[in-house]
Amino acid sequence: MIILGIDPGIATMGFGVIEKLPNGNNIPLDYGVVKTPKEESLPVRLALLEQGINKILDKYHPDEVALEELFFTKNITTGIAVAQARGVTLLTCVKKCGKLYEYTPMQIKQALTGYGRADKQQMQQVVASILRLKGIPKPDDAADALAVALCHAHTARFGGLFTVENMTRRKGQNTVTTVKPISSFRKEDL
């Protein structure tokens, strides 16, 4: 199974692509960042993110996509821009994959280190160790994205708990449905 992990961002979006082998091992296929110039307008930056994500999706055709949930505490203005970037990321991914999952930073840390408050250096060392990399992945956003992908690989059997659903969950009807990729809709469905 090919898993794309994404650490959403407006200036720098991290991505990590891994393959989960049948024996349970994970191998890295690619990792890096999609950057957008700060001097560009927000709509242009969002379009650049979409282009970057599409290139990754077209190259690796992931079976599932895992994203880190947004977490910000102080700067709401930055948080809004990152939320818009995350929206573009979700939209772009659902069009081509449809199987989207999200994890909180604490869930990712717990899945990889056994401790939900592990520091960044610990996380990076664990990512490098699990993937048998010669060094810590750089930049940090790429390492974070690989951590998201690994978290999903380790917890995929519980996928229904983490899927990005179509918001049809209601009291007494807690069924989770996976969103179909846009390409799988027939004309009469739209």
Side-chain angles (χ1 to χ4, degrees):
M1 171 180 11
I2 306 294
I3 300 169
L4 169 60
I6 296 178
D7 179 26
I10 186 67
T12 307
M13 182 206 75
F15 73 90
V17 184
I18 64 170
E19 182 175 2
K20 181 178 180 173
L21 302 175
N23 66 6
N25 289 335
N26 298 289
I27 57 172
L29 300 179
D30 195 7
Y31 60 89
V33 294
V34 176
K35 290 186 172 198
T36 64
K38 62 183 174 188
E39 61 274 357
E40 288 290 352
S41 67
L42 181 62
V44 170
R45 293 175 87 178
L46 295 174
L48 291 170
L49 282 176
E50 180 191 24
Q51 287 174 356
I53 296 164
N54 272 319
K55 285 180 183 177
I56 297 162
L57 292 168
D58 290 343
K59 184 173 182 180
Y60 294 103
H61 304 284
D63 298 297
E64 298 179 349
V65 178
L67 293 98
E68 183 174 342
E69 283 187 7
L70 285 186
F71 177 78
F72 58 92
T73 56
K74 294 183 180 166
N75 191 338
I76 189 109
T77 304
T78 302
I80 291 170
V82 173
Q84 289 174 325
R86 186 172 184 277
V88 166
T89 302
L90 287 168
L91 177 62
T92 305
C93 290
V94 78
K95 284 181 178 182
K96 296 208 175 173
C97 180
K99 292 187 178 181
L100 308 177
Y101 301 83
E102 57 186 354
Y103 301 89
T104 66
M106 191 173 281
Q107 288 169 328
I108 296 164
K109 292 173 182 182
Q110 180 73 37
L112 295 182
T113 68
Y115 179 57
R117 299 205 188 277
D119 65 32
K120 189 171 274 297
Q121 186 175 5
Q122 276 181 291
M123 287 295 295
Q124 291 171 343
Q125 289 173 345
V126 169
V127 166
S129 176
I130 291 172
L131 294 175
R132 296 176 184 86
L133 299 171
K134 292 180 181 180
I136 292 175
K138 297 290 180 193
D140 290 351
D141 303 283
D144 293 347
L146 284 169
V148 175
L150 286 169
C151 172
H152 182 66
H154 289 128
T155 61
R157 65 183 181 268
F158 306 113
L161 299 173
F162 304 104
T163 188
V164 178
E165 61 241 352
N166 67 4
M167 303 308 285
T168 60
R169 292 177 74 163
R170 293 186 191 96
K171 188 174 183 179
Q173 299 175 344
N174 289 335
T175 58
V176 178
T177 56
T178 302
V179 179
K180 292 193 307 188
I182 297 296
S183 60
S184 68
F185 283 100
R186 298 179 316 232
K187 184 177 181 181
E188 50 273 5
D189 291 335
L190 301 176

